[in-house]
Amino acid sequence: MDHGWVVVARMPDARAAQEEGDVLGQTHPLLRTWRHGRSPPPIFCPPPPCQTGLGNLASARAIATAHRLLATVEPGCGNETNPSTMANSASGMAVNDECKLKFQDLKSKRSFRFITFKIDEHTQQVVVDRLGKPGDTYDDFTASMPDSECRYAVFDFDFTTDENCQKSKIFFISWSPDTSRVRSKMLYASSKDRFKRELDGIQLELQATDPSEMSMDIVKARAL
């Protein structure tokens, strides 16, 4: 698996260094590897020949080559993501204002039974996917979840307690089916906490990878 590591350049190996007249007879990586989206580690260059008396043309060429590679390497090389995507993945995707507005309508006006949300990878933000009508059932909600794509969702669940009291609780559901893309699972997992903070009023949470993990029996048990 490609983890996004890039090796920029190395000094000549020990044998080559000896053949080129490097009296130290040993070398170290000039530049270590680093992950995309992070600052590369500092470059440690040997002191100038005038200070050491060990002037070495091969070492000087290696240093110049490494600096040249560092200046020209493109962010995201060798990986399908770029630094900005990696940064967003780490802190969570931005949230479109419509998500918060529709959630407030669900919570205060009960305008919707449920709302599903998705990550738009082109705009790098969470957006509204579907709006459930006030009369929709829990079965309507579960049927709206895609088989092989991740989603966030909120559901306004009405129930009756053992004391025969009518209540409702808002569930936050993180849907991440096993058949969805690994990259998509990672994006949704890393953005969940930030997104939840934008929805003030969530009372309970479920995480599901298949329909059985968010069945009505489970929802009822959590609500009571």
Side-chain angles (χ1 to χ4, degrees):
M1 180 182 294
D2 180 8
H3 293 289
W5 292 91
V6 178
V7 179
V8 178
R10 297 180 69 90
M11 294 285 282
D13 59 29
R15 179 177 298 178
Q18 289 174 341
E19 292 174 356
E20 291 293 335
D22 185 348
V23 297
L24 295 177
Q26 60 184 1
T27 57
H28 301 282
L30 179 61
L31 294 179
R32 297 183 183 277
T33 56
W34 73 85
R35 283 189 185 277
H36 295 302
R38 283 179 156 179
S39 299
I43 301 172
F44 297 98
C45 298
C50 61
Q51 294 181 18
T52 64
L54 302 177
N56 188 309
L57 181 59
S59 296
R61 287 175 178 170
I63 295 166
T65 300
H67 278 285
R68 190 163 57 252
L69 286 170
L70 179 61
T72 59
V73 66
E74 294 184 1
C77 177
N79 193 311
E80 65 176 355
T81 60
N82 57 39
S84 61
T85 301
M86 294 292 287
N88 279 335
S89 298
S91 60
M93 291 287 176
V95 179
N96 188 282
D97 288 340
E98 185 186 16
C99 298
K100 292 175 279 188
L101 293 174
K102 296 302 183 185
F103 177 75
Q104 288 299 319
D105 287 343
L106 177 147
K107 183 179 73 169
S108 59
K109 302 177 183 178
R110 310 202 76 182
S111 301
F112 315 106
R113 176 60 59 185
F114 66 86
I115 307 172
T116 63
F117 309 89
K118 67 180 179 180
I119 291 178
D120 187 330
E121 295 187 28
H122 296 292
T123 60
Q124 297 286 292
Q125 60 182 341
V126 182
V127 299
V128 172
D129 178 39
R130 291 188 181 186
L131 299 171
K133 298 176 182 179
D136 284 350
T137 65
Y138 190 73
D139 288 338
D140 293 327
F141 163 65
T142 56
S144 72
M145 304 303 275
D147 293 333
S148 58
E149 295 180 15
C150 298
R151 289 291 186 273
Y152 301 125
V154 290
F155 185 87
D156 186 10
F157 181 61
D158 292 327
F159 63 100
T160 304
T161 68
D162 294 336
E163 293 78 21
N164 202 32
C165 295
Q166 295 292 323
K167 289 190 175 183
S168 68
K169 289 189 177 180
I170 298 176
F171 276 80
F172 178 88
I173 299 171
S174 180
W175 171 245
S176 182
D178 292 331
T179 52
S180 58
R181 294 179 300 135
V182 173
R183 170 180 164 79
S184 180
K185 292 177 184 179
M186 293 175 64
L187 284 175
Y188 276 79
S190 63
S191 301
K192 184 185 72 171
D193 289 341
R194 176 178 177 179
F195 180 55
K196 280 177 57 183
R197 287 195 297 268
E198 299 287 345
L199 307 180
D200 183 23
I202 290 172
Q203 296 163 297
L204 295 168
E205 179 179 352
L206 284 178
Q207 298 188 39
T209 59
D210 66 71
S212 67
E213 295 178 349
M214 58 176 187
S215 66
M216 176 59 78
D217 290 340
I218 292 177
V219 171
K220 283 182 177 178
R222 292 292 306 277
L224 292 173

